[in-house]
């Protein structure tokens, strides 16, 4: 199946509670949320495995010799455990002000060029990465407009 990315909106009043324990704010079955019947899907951002490509894109300098603020949306990785491929997922909470900053930044990200993405993630493609970039842009703009934070997991 592989490691995938899922993000859910978070009410501003829930940010502190989610920072203490984010799991009640995440779905028990995020893959079904992403792949299930459309009428049953909650509001969420599903980036499949493209979070790696977006990490590469957002890590590029924004002109101030530092990564784009959009990197906050996909930062992190799983932690390997044991010798049989097990892992512990990564979970992160973003408050509404950071969501707003990301929304303002992510809309300025240009479509990904094939040669750039293949260099970073050889098995990927620009079409694949750009589809998820567009979804991330739309999701973040609407979250920011609604004044929401988010909680995400990579697992």
């Amino acid at each position: 199946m592989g490691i995938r990315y899922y993000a859910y909106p978070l009410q501003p009043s829930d940010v502190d509670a989610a920072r203490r324990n984010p799991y009640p704010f995440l779905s028990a079955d995020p893959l079904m949320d992403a792949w299930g019947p459309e009428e049953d899907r909650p509001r969420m951002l599903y980036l499949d495995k493209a979070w790696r490509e977006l990490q590469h894109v957002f890590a590029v300098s924004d002109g101030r010799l530092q990564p784009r603020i959009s990197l906050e949306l996909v930062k992190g990785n799983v932690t390997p455990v044991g010798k049989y491929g097990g892992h512990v997922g990564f979970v992160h909470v973003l408050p509404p002000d950071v969501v707003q900053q990301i929304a303002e930044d992510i809309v300025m990200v240009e479509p990904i060029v094939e040669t750039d993405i293949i260099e970073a993630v050889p098995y990927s493609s620009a079409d694949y990465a750009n589809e998820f970039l567009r979804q991330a842009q739309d999701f973040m703009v609407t979250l920011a407009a609604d004044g929401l934070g988010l909680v995400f997991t990579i697992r």
Side-chain angles (χ1 to χ4, degrees):
M1 285 295 290
I3 298 165
R4 301 176 194 281
Y5 175 104
Y6 313 90
Y8 295 89
L10 193 59
Q11 292 295 325
S13 59
D14 291 331
V15 169
D16 288 339
R19 283 182 172 149
R20 287 189 299 277
N21 181 11
Y23 297 100
F25 301 95
L26 295 167
S27 172
D29 191 354
L31 190 58
M32 182 53 74
D33 290 348
W35 288 6
E38 192 167 337
E39 64 274 6
D40 295 338
R41 293 180 192 168
R43 185 177 184 189
M44 70 177 300
L45 175 62
Y46 171 64
L47 295 179
D48 192 35
K49 297 173 184 165
W51 57 275
R52 289 185 174 109
E53 287 88 333
L54 295 180
Q55 281 183 339
H56 170 73
V57 170
F58 299 152
V60 173
S61 170
D62 67 358
R64 297 181 307 219
L65 301 178
Q66 60 188 15
R68 304 183 78 96
I69 186 67
S70 292
L71 184 59
E72 287 293 311
L73 179 62
V74 292
K75 78 175 187 180
N77 201 352
V78 298
T79 303
V81 293
K83 57 185 177 181
Y84 300 108
H87 62 270
V88 175
F90 179 84
V91 180
H92 192 56
V93 174
L94 299 175
D97 63 318
V98 175
V99 167
Q100 179 67 43
Q101 292 171 28
I102 293 169
E104 292 168 2
D105 179 59
I106 200 169
V107 296
M108 295 187 293
V109 176
E110 298 286 332
I112 300 161
V113 177
E114 190 75 28
T115 52
D116 291 344
I117 205 61
I118 295 301
E119 180 182 318
V121 187
Y123 54 83
S124 190
S125 74
D127 288 342
Y128 173 76
N130 282 320
E131 175 60 30
F132 289 104
L133 171 61
R134 282 188 295 276
Q135 290 179 31
Q137 289 168 325
D138 292 345
F139 186 76
M140 295 308 289
V141 167
T142 60
L143 275 192
D146 293 342
L148 299 173
L150 72 81
V151 57
F152 73 83
T153 185
I154 300 171
R155 59 179 175 183

